[in-house]
Amino acid sequence: MGNTIVFAILAAVIIIAALASVFTTRIMRAVTALLFVLFAIAGIYFLLDYTFLGAAQLSIYAGGMTMIYIFAIQLVSRRKLQGMKEKLDLRRCLLALAVSVVGAATVIAVQMKHDMLSRFCAVEDKEVTMDVIGTALVGSEKYQYVLPFEFISLFLLACIIGGLVVARNKEEDKQS
């Protein structure tokens, strides 16, 4: 009974924070709301006793949001960032809704065509343990993911450096 109550609270936090993140006009509020979503998702992982996934959620995604804070403040002046707003455009919202509906319909059609839903809902006794998931994430053999993670980290580092270079060049152009 207690798990159900905690799940309901976490689900409510996820829904409210996600809506707040989408509908706010201030960028820092949107990032903060998204941070709450990521923390609540980690809470659901911990509730399901997936401690590895919960810890990964906190360190990778919530830590990544903190890095977005830091780099957003570094790349853009605080005054600009606090006053930065975006106007809500009804046409853009309707277009986004239409694209989302088409995307969801496509995913459902593909799942129905390939009979994925019945295979997913079928009760099987195959449970993947956290040892298997952990080995797959940090292993270097075939079908293991340490190499793609390293490539992604290098790519993100290059993006960060590129962003800093662009920001520095803009400051130098203004001073010239």
Side-chain angles (χ1 to χ4, degrees):
M1 181 67 177
N3 285 347
T4 306
I5 294 170
V6 172
F7 175 78
I9 291 169
L10 289 172
V13 168
I14 289 171
I15 291 170
I16 291 168
L19 289 173
S21 177
V22 170
F23 289 114
T24 188
T25 58
R26 296 190 179 266
I27 186 127
M28 295 306 277
R29 288 182 187 168
V31 172
T32 304
L34 188 58
L35 188 63
F36 281 114
V37 170
L38 296 174
F39 277 132
I41 290 172
I44 288 178
Y45 286 145
F46 286 125
L47 187 66
L48 293 171
D49 288 332
Y50 290 143
T51 53
F52 178 78
L53 290 177
Q57 176 78 15
L58 286 176
S59 63
I60 295 170
Y61 294 110
M65 294 307 295
T66 305
M67 293 308 295
I68 287 176
Y69 268 137
I70 292 169
F71 283 108
I73 290 170
Q74 282 183 351
L75 293 175
V76 181
S77 70
R78 280 192 183 177
R79 291 182 186 151
K80 284 184 182 178
L81 193 61
Q82 292 300 328
M84 193 179 289
K85 289 186 177 183
E86 185 175 332
K87 294 183 181 179
L88 192 62
D89 187 10
L90 185 62
R91 289 188 307 181
R92 287 177 62 194
C93 288
L94 291 176
L95 179 65
L97 179 66
V99 169
S100 299
V101 168
V102 168
T106 303
V107 168
I108 290 171
V110 168
Q111 287 181 348
M112 294 298 214
K113 180 180 178 185
H114 294 289
D115 201 28
M116 289 180 173
L117 291 178
S118 63
R119 279 189 269 161
F120 178 72
C121 295
V123 177
E124 294 184 15
D125 219 11
K126 296 179 183 176
E127 183 176 336
V128 179
T129 63
M130 293 311 294
D131 293 336
V132 173
I133 293 173
T135 302
L137 286 176
V138 297
S140 61
E141 302 294 322
K142 187 174 182 180
Y143 302 118
Q144 294 180 342
Y145 298 103
V146 75
L147 193 60
F149 281 153
E150 291 300 323
F151 283 135
I152 289 170
S153 67
L154 288 174
F155 177 70
L156 291 174
L157 180 63
C159 291
I160 290 169
I161 292 170
L164 291 173
V165 167
V166 168
R168 300 279 174 162
N169 287 341
K170 285 183 181 179
E171 286 179 9
E172 290 173 4
D173 289 343
K174 286 181 183 178
Q175 291 175 358
S176 298

